Amino acid sequence: MQQSTFSSKTNVCEGQTIRIIAEEPEIPGIISQLGKTEMWYVPDASKDAKLIYGLGKNCTEEEVRTAIEQGTLMNYLQQVPVKKDDLFFIKAGTIHAIGAGVLVAEIQESSNLTYRLYDYDRVGKDGKKRELHVDKALEVANLSSSAEPRQSLRVLKYRKGVASELLTRCKYFEVYRMLVNTERRQTVHYHADEVAFRVLLCVNGCGTISFEGGNITFYKGDCIFVPADSEVLSIHGQVQFLDVRG
């Protein structure tokens, strides 16, 4: 059976652990899974919300270790302002974290591999600090300064009842934003081709999807799996999807 090339989820944070996702291919003695490239789409964000995207300047392993021990790592990290509808592509090896007040729809390479670099000295329910993976994280981290991510120009393409735009494309997945706005009995037709399944992640609005034998109602936050070579589905409602393809 062929492994899926991506997975999807949503996150809303009060301050996420600062993490590292490893590169591919496998690194002997370090990891035994695939790396994890990610795309973050921001359906909503509070005023002055930020995320961490790489380092603000070039660092050595020794400098990062010392900063973690002294609790000064935040001084070395690049904090990027975030607003609704922003898009970020997180390459494997990038130090990153979602800041407080940010709702993120996360599409990622199919992997559970994450190294926890720093956790703000927080403690769990057991009263102990959560385990860090500093040695492994620094083996795979990009310690060069990261260019501040810029929002690229996106072009919506319209047809009756729906508009769509390409958000990102890489070797693991491609993601489109799809805006459906139907009235009364009007519907939008959708199907997955025979190459791979698709996922529709509802990031705003609600509606119904009809198919032979029934229909389902969906709401913000729902994730709809569309099998490869699917029948033609009929979508009705006012909704914004992330249309994710492997």
Side-chain angles (χ1 to χ4, degrees):
M1 183 176 67
Q2 185 178 10
Q3 183 180 9
S4 168
T5 58
F6 70 87
S7 59
S8 61
K9 59 185 176 181
T10 55
N11 285 313
V12 60
C13 288
E14 296 181 356
Q16 188 187 53
T17 298
I18 297 169
R19 305 178 294 163
I20 298 290
I21 44 182
E23 294 265 12
E24 279 193 275
E26 295 183 359
I27 303 174
I30 300 297
I31 59 176
S32 59
Q33 301 184 53
L34 298 176
K36 191 165 69 170
T37 295
E38 301 180 359
M39 185 213 80
W40 292 351
Y41 175 76
V42 182
D44 202 6
S46 61
K47 184 180 179 181
D48 299 325
K50 296 180 180 179
L51 58 78
I52 291 169
Y53 187 98
L55 294 170
K57 63 178 182 178
N58 296 337
C59 291
T60 65
E61 286 190 24
E62 183 178 353
E63 286 175 324
V64 174
R65 287 181 187 276
T66 300
I68 293 170
E69 292 170 0
Q70 296 179 350
T72 59
L73 183 62
M74 295 298 294
N75 296 337
Y76 295 85
L77 301 177
Q78 177 173 232
Q79 298 188 57
V80 180
V82 181
K83 64 181 184 302
K84 182 178 180 179
D85 198 41
D86 276 353
L87 177 71
F88 300 92
F89 188 75
I90 316 292
K91 290 185 178 180
T94 303
I95 297 172
H96 64 285
I98 304 168
V102 184
L103 175 64
V104 164
E106 179 179 315
I107 310 300
Q108 64 180 44
E109 182 183 353
S110 184
S111 171
N112 291 319
L113 184 64
T114 300
Y115 296 138
R116 188 179 297 120
L117 185 65
Y118 184 63
D119 198 34
Y120 310 97
D121 293 327
R122 292 181 293 198
V123 297
K125 293 181 179 179
D126 60 359
K128 298 179 181 179
K129 294 180 181 180
R130 295 201 295 177
E131 180 185 4
L132 300 180
H133 315 108
V134 177
D135 290 338
K136 290 183 177 180
L138 291 178
E139 288 282 352
V140 298
N142 178 5
L143 298 182
S144 299
S145 63
S146 297
E148 183 174 342
R150 299 185 181 278
Q151 298 302 312
S152 59
L153 179 67
R154 291 157 23 197
V155 180
L156 276 169
K157 296 182 179 180
Y158 294 86
R159 59 185 176 89
K160 190 174 182 179
V162 65
S164 65
E165 62 181 358
L166 175 66
L167 296 184
T168 194
R169 178 183 287 131
C170 67
K171 66 180 180 179
Y172 308 110
F173 50 77
E174 61 181 25
V175 184
Y176 295 81
R177 187 169 71 111
M178 185 168 71
L179 294 86
V180 175
N181 187 3
T182 58
E183 300 177 356
R184 297 183 181 179
R185 296 185 180 181
Q186 182 186 12
T187 60
V188 170
H189 292 156
Y190 180 90
H191 82 286
D193 58 29
E194 68 278 1
V195 175
F197 71 87
R198 299 183 183 179
V199 169
L200 294 176
L201 177 59
C202 179
V203 294
N204 204 5
C206 61
T208 60
I209 291 183
S210 301
F211 49 90
E212 185 177 350
N215 62 75
I216 58 172
T217 301
F218 58 83
Y219 302 92
K220 181 178 179 179
D222 285 346
C223 194
I224 302 158
F225 179 86
V226 183
D229 198 21
S230 71
E231 64 179 274
V232 176
L233 309 176
S234 296
I235 303 173
H236 177 78
Q238 292 184 322
V239 59
Q240 181 180 166
F241 286 121
L242 295 188
D243 178 2
V244 188
R245 311 175 186 187

